[in-house]
Amino acid sequence: MKEPVLLEVRNLKVYFRNDEGLELRAVDGVSFTVPPGKTVALVGESGCGKSVTALAILRLVEANGRIAGGEVLFEGKNLLALSEREMQRVRGKEIAIIFQEPSAALNPVYTVGEQIVEAILLHQSVSREKARALAEEMLHLVGIPEPRKRLNEYPHELSGGMKQRAMIAMALSCRPKLLIADEPTTSLDVTIQAQILELLRELQRQIGMAILLITHDLGIVADMADEVVVMYAGKVVERGTKYDIFKRCRHPYTLGLLRSVPRLDVDENALASIPGFVPDPLHFPEGCRFRGRCFLEDETCATEPPEVALGDGHVVYCHHAALSEVCHGER
Amino acid sequence: MGNGEVLLRVENLKKYFPLRAGVFKKVVGWIRAVDGVSFEVFSGETLGIVGESGCGKSTLGMTILRLLEPTEGRIFFAGQDITRLPPAKLRPIRKDMQMIFQDPFSSLNPRMTIQAILEEGLRVHRVVPRDAMQKEVEMLLERVGLSRDYVRRFPHEFSGGQRQRISIARAIALRPRLVIADEALSSLDVSVRAQVLNLLQELKREYSLTYLFISHDLAVVRQISHRILVMYLGKVVELAPKEAFFARPLHPYSVALISAVPIPDPGVRKVRIILSGDVPSPLHPPSGCRFHTRCPRAQEICAMTEPPLLEVEPGHFVACHFPGSLTLEGTSG
């Protein structure tokens, strides 16, 4: 059975150079797919390369970085091979992105309306009046009260939650097939977060777009995702359906991560935690990058871990994938 | 758990910030960050204070430590009224009350070595004799899980989790009785957050500490607290033992807050109560019950009369005209 694929990231590598000229392998051979209309979550802790991966899909890597290899296939065509002109037609039209900090993504000197209209005019051949009507419709769609009035307001006049809604309105104004949402609710309060997540779910139903959700919050993953890609230190360590990851994960890091999250519905005397800390990209260990923190580690881990397919798209990169099965059990 | 002795008592505490505008910086209004808060903290317990941004929880913590001067109300620490104590008399009490901040990047002086950072308080308060200082600093570092070889290093050489451990070492160095932790784990990654949370629990037992644990993260608060206090727009809306609070929260805001936290388990299905609108500004808080503009159970009276904080079950306080009317099952009670 072959699933339809909207986006396929194949062996993507993004390297940066720091001030001393040393190379940081921030994203180092990442592969995953996003089916149309589904939500795929890219999870991991800070520095794991999840945001860099998201930006690289749109070829928005910062000047001190470069895409060092791999392919990004969107509906079969390799975005990395497109000219900058062709790429501009993809950004915003086919693939849109929203960020953690809406105040950083909205231009403070233009009204919300002007910014959405600009996005619409860039990609659709409609009149300015029609674009304005579309913008108003989008603001209404994302649940902003009094959309006509809001069009004439500046970003600073909106609350954090409203700004995030405005950014979503702008991102979706051209009905993209894929929305990349990079920590879309991290800066928001939990009751506002609930509103935004519900909005994304609702809009996905209406517009039918796929979502690539970048987050560190496993609660949001369980809530939103169909499929999950777990990243650690620039590599994918495990991917599978939401149930594969939460109920039968096989990578020791995934397991450690799940066990170290305090849960609102369970009392625990002491949380399990992963020893040590996330390595910085200059000092990623050779072989398996989880070395030094793993309870299954032995000398074989000094070599690159193999890709172990467990069926139905559940894949783990670990020398001890067979062993880790026994580590599960009720928390 | 608490032994029944009250370590900290806060009575009708208020902290208003002036809002100034114009050329002459005339006061045009007051931001009522903390607006009449009363509660007690028992010796040996952990009281978790939760609420969303702008609810006044951080201001409350700073005001209790007198890092901000209270506008009104009284603060008692170990039976002594410290509300208007002059700085010289406050200093010995400060030793007993320490704070851990959210951002370990800005709360450690980048020009000081770890040795100097940890020594500073010990010296000011003359906790250990000069010749025992070195040993004490090394002991503290090891106690928070860092190598004693780190004493000569500077803060920038450490990761966020390690810096937070240093902040914790500094806080416990003076053997305080009360530690106020303000979003102390919020900047840490998941795997490291669990380590530091466990460390805080161990230290509490070892040093018989009392914690005031301020956080927006209900799941973390649940792990560490004995009792939970919920704030909304400068007011206490609910205060209850942890078990009662999570089993049967009585204030509609508490219910919405709990239901909004996503559970990291796709097998768990729960009713989602989604509040409409944003938190109103503390500059112009709504009339009556401050939550009435967003409350799914609000009636006419809620906009008119402010509900008092009442004890509806032993130890369970709630400020609501219709406590228990919204439940986690979403039905009306």
Side-chain angles (χ1 to χ4, degrees):
Chain A
M1 140 194 126
K2 187 94 175 91
E3 241 191 323
V5 171
L6 178 68
L7 175 80
E8 180 173 4
V9 173
R10 242 189 235 165
N11 200 24
L12 182 69
K13 293 179 180 175
V14 187
Y15 295 171
F16 289 86
R17 252 183 216 295
N18 71 1
D19 297 342
E20 282 108 56
L22 296 166
E23 194 158 63
L24 313 176
R25 294 170 294 163
V27 173
D28 202 9
V30 162
S31 303
F32 63 92
T33 58
V34 180
K38 298 273 193 218
T39 299
V40 175
L42 209 52
V43 281
E45 300 178 281
S46 45
C48 73
K50 55 190 191 301
S51 287
V52 174
T53 302
L55 290 172
I57 290 169
L58 285 170
R59 296 191 10 207
L60 294 172
V61 178
E62 281 171 63
N64 61 341
R66 65 188 172 96
I67 296 176
E71 289 175 306
V72 176
L73 302 169
F74 183 74
E75 297 188 307
K77 62 174 184 278
N78 187 3
L79 298 185
L80 302 186
L82 295 185
S83 69
E84 186 51 40
R85 238 186 121 79
E86 290 169 311
M87 195 59 212
Q88 279 170 10
R89 280 199 286 272
V90 174
R91 285 186 206 122
K93 173 105 184 71
E94 308 276 343
I95 307 176
I97 186 163
I98 57 175
F99 300 97
Q100 173 173 346
E101 276 300 333
S103 33
L106 293 168
N107 190 329
V109 301
Y110 291 101
T111 64
V112 172
E114 283 163 347
Q115 297 185 55
I116 302 178
V117 165
E118 187 196 354
I120 295 172
L121 289 178
L122 200 61
H123 295 295
Q124 298 177 32
S125 40
V126 293
S127 67
R128 190 161 274 276
E129 291 70 53
K130 179 84 171 81
R132 208 169 159 80
L134 278 173
E136 188 183 328
E137 193 188 315
M138 283 315 296
L139 287 187
H140 177 74
L141 188 68
V142 299
I144 292 184
E146 303 176 81
R148 181 161 300 173
K149 182 170 151 250
R150 296 290 180 179
L151 281 178
N152 298 317
E153 289 186 347
Y154 289 89
H156 75 266
E157 298 179 73
L158 305 179
S159 69
M162 284 298 155
K163 265 187 270 202
Q164 193 57 283
R165 284 174 193 265
M167 191 160 67
I168 293 171
M170 196 188 311
L172 299 185
S173 59
C174 294
R175 312 268 158 160
K177 292 177 185 137
L178 175 66
L179 175 69
I180 300 176
D182 187 0
E183 302 271 8
T185 59
T186 304
S187 65
L188 304 175
D189 276 317
V190 60
T191 61
I192 308 299
Q193 166 174 293
Q195 293 173 2
I196 297 293
L197 294 179
E198 183 63 24
L199 174 69
L200 284 176
R201 251 193 300 268
E202 178 59 33
L203 292 172
Q204 185 175 38
R205 250 198 315 275
Q206 285 184 28
I207 298 175
M209 79 245 177
I211 299 177
L212 180 63
L213 179 69
I214 289 87
T215 181
H216 69 282
D217 187 326
L218 289 163
I220 295 177
V221 174
D223 205 17
M224 299 285 290
D226 299 298
E227 292 172 25
V228 184
V229 179
V230 184
M231 285 184 70
Y232 182 80
K235 297 226 180 235
V236 172
V237 295
E238 185 162 11
R239 57 171 187 265
T241 66
K242 172 163 70 176
Y243 293 93
D244 289 335
I245 299 301
F246 282 93
K247 296 296 180 190
R248 36 183 185 268
C249 72
R250 296 284 281 277
H251 198 285
Y253 175 65
T254 313
L255 188 65
L257 204 57
L258 287 171
R259 287 191 171 167
S260 53
V261 186
R263 285 177 54 160
L264 194 59
D265 57 339
V266 185
D267 270 319
E268 277 146 309
N269 287 328
L271 287 169
S273 63
I274 305 173
F277 46 91
V278 183
D280 81 82
L282 268 182
H283 303 104
F284 284 155
E286 287 303 311
C288 176
R289 290 188 178 177
F290 192 49
R291 274 170 73 205
R293 303 183 76 191
C294 183
F295 62 95
L296 288 175
E297 184 178 335
D298 62 20
E299 58 283 0
T300 58
C301 303
T303 58
E304 195 71 23
E307 175 180 305
V308 182
L310 301 159
D312 286 339
H314 187 186
V315 173
V316 59
Y317 295 83
C318 177
H319 288 286
H320 303 297
L323 220 59
S324 61
E325 190 173 21
V326 298
C327 311
H328 277 265
E330 286 306 302
R331 325 179 353 135
Chain B
M1 178 67 191
N3 57 14
E5 182 205 333
V6 175
L7 181 64
L8 173 75
R9 190 162 91 237
V10 170
E11 277 180 15
N12 194 30
L13 194 66
K14 293 184 183 176
K15 178 64 194 174
Y16 292 1
F17 295 98
L19 185 75
R20 295 171 194 276
V23 193
F24 300 107
K25 297 279 174 245
K26 213 176 101 195
V27 175
V28 294
W30 294 93
I31 297 163
R32 299 190 233 171
V34 174
D35 201 7
V37 165
S38 304
F39 63 92
E40 289 173 334
V41 181
F42 300 106
S43 188
E45 79 165 337
T46 298
L47 178 69
I49 299 187
V50 294
E52 298 180 285
S53 42
C55 74
K57 55 190 191 302
S58 290
T59 304
L60 176 65
M62 308 261 277
T63 310
I64 289 170
L65 287 181
R66 293 269 317 271
L67 297 173
L68 293 171
E69 287 306 323
T71 306
E72 217 183 291
R74 301 218 284 175
I75 306 158
F76 295 87
F77 182 75
Q80 188 184 1
D81 187 344
I82 61 164
T83 324
R84 304 284 166 209
L85 226 49
K89 290 208 167 134
L90 196 59
R91 195 169 302 129
I93 294 167
R94 282 257 167 83
K95 174 184 150 326
D96 287 331
M97 307 162 89
Q98 289 294 308
M99 189 151 187
I100 305 168
F101 295 95
Q102 167 169 5
D103 185 3
F105 290 80
S106 60
S107 59
L108 299 175
N109 187 335
R111 291 166 186 275
M112 285 165 78
T113 62
I114 303 313
Q115 169 96 24
I117 287 171
L118 294 179
E119 256 185 29
E120 195 177 32
L122 294 173
R123 220 175 34 235
V124 170
H125 293 285
R126 299 195 179 87
V127 179
V128 288
R130 189 170 290 270
D131 55 348
M133 201 77 90
Q134 183 70 29
K135 265 206 138 49
E136 179 70 12
V137 166
E138 287 174 2
M139 187 282 293
L140 282 167
L141 270 184
E142 290 197 334
R143 186 55 207 92
V144 296
L146 295 173
S147 161
R148 62 167 65 197
D149 304 333
Y150 289 169
V151 290
R152 302 258 160 265
R153 296 202 189 174
F154 288 90
H156 75 264
E157 298 176 64
F158 296 94
S159 69
Q162 289 174 313
R163 284 184 216 209
Q164 204 54 305
R165 286 175 190 271
I166 295 164
S167 306
I168 292 170
R170 179 175 61 182
I172 60 165
L174 303 177
R175 304 285 186 276
R177 299 177 68 186
L178 177 70
V179 173
I180 301 186
D182 186 6
E183 300 282 8
L185 307 177
S186 303
S187 65
L188 305 179
D189 269 316
V190 180
S191 66
V192 176
R193 198 170 62 189
Q195 297 169 3
V196 178
L197 184 62
N198 289 340
L199 173 66
L200 286 174
Q201 307 256 50
E202 288 164 28
L203 292 173
K204 178 172 178 302
R205 274 193 298 275
E206 228 172 283
Y207 293 89
S208 316
L209 300 171
T210 303
Y211 284 150
L212 205 59
F213 194 86
I214 301 169
S215 176
H216 72 283
D217 188 333
L218 267 180
V220 169
V221 166
R222 173 168 194 158
Q223 296 312 317
I224 198 167
S225 307
H226 299 106
R227 292 191 302 148
I228 314 269
L229 183 149
V230 185
M231 287 185 74
Y232 187 79
L233 275 178
K235 297 263 182 197
V236 176
V237 297
E238 187 159 1
L239 169 62
K242 175 178 75 176
E243 297 74 21
F245 180 78
F246 284 104
R248 208 167 103 76
L250 294 176
H251 198 285
Y253 177 63
S254 310
V255 175
L257 209 53
I258 293 172
S259 95
V261 180
I263 304 286
D265 184 344
V268 175
R269 278 280 130 246
K270 56 176 208 167
V271 176
R272 235 187 294 267
I273 297 156
I274 294 179
L275 294 177
S276 56
D278 292 310
V279 180
S281 157
L283 189 60
H284 303 289
S287 62
C289 171
R290 292 188 178 182
F291 186 56
H292 86 263
T293 52
R294 301 175 78 199
C295 182
R297 290 285 183 268
Q299 308 281 326
E300 227 169 275
I301 181 178
C302 304
M304 323 263 279
T305 322
E306 187 180 323
L309 187 68
L310 295 176
E311 188 168 13
V312 291
E313 284 160 23
H316 198 152
F317 297 82
V318 61
C320 177
H321 291 297
F322 306 99
S325 62
L326 189 69
T327 68
L328 288 171
E329 287 77 46
T331 54
S332 181

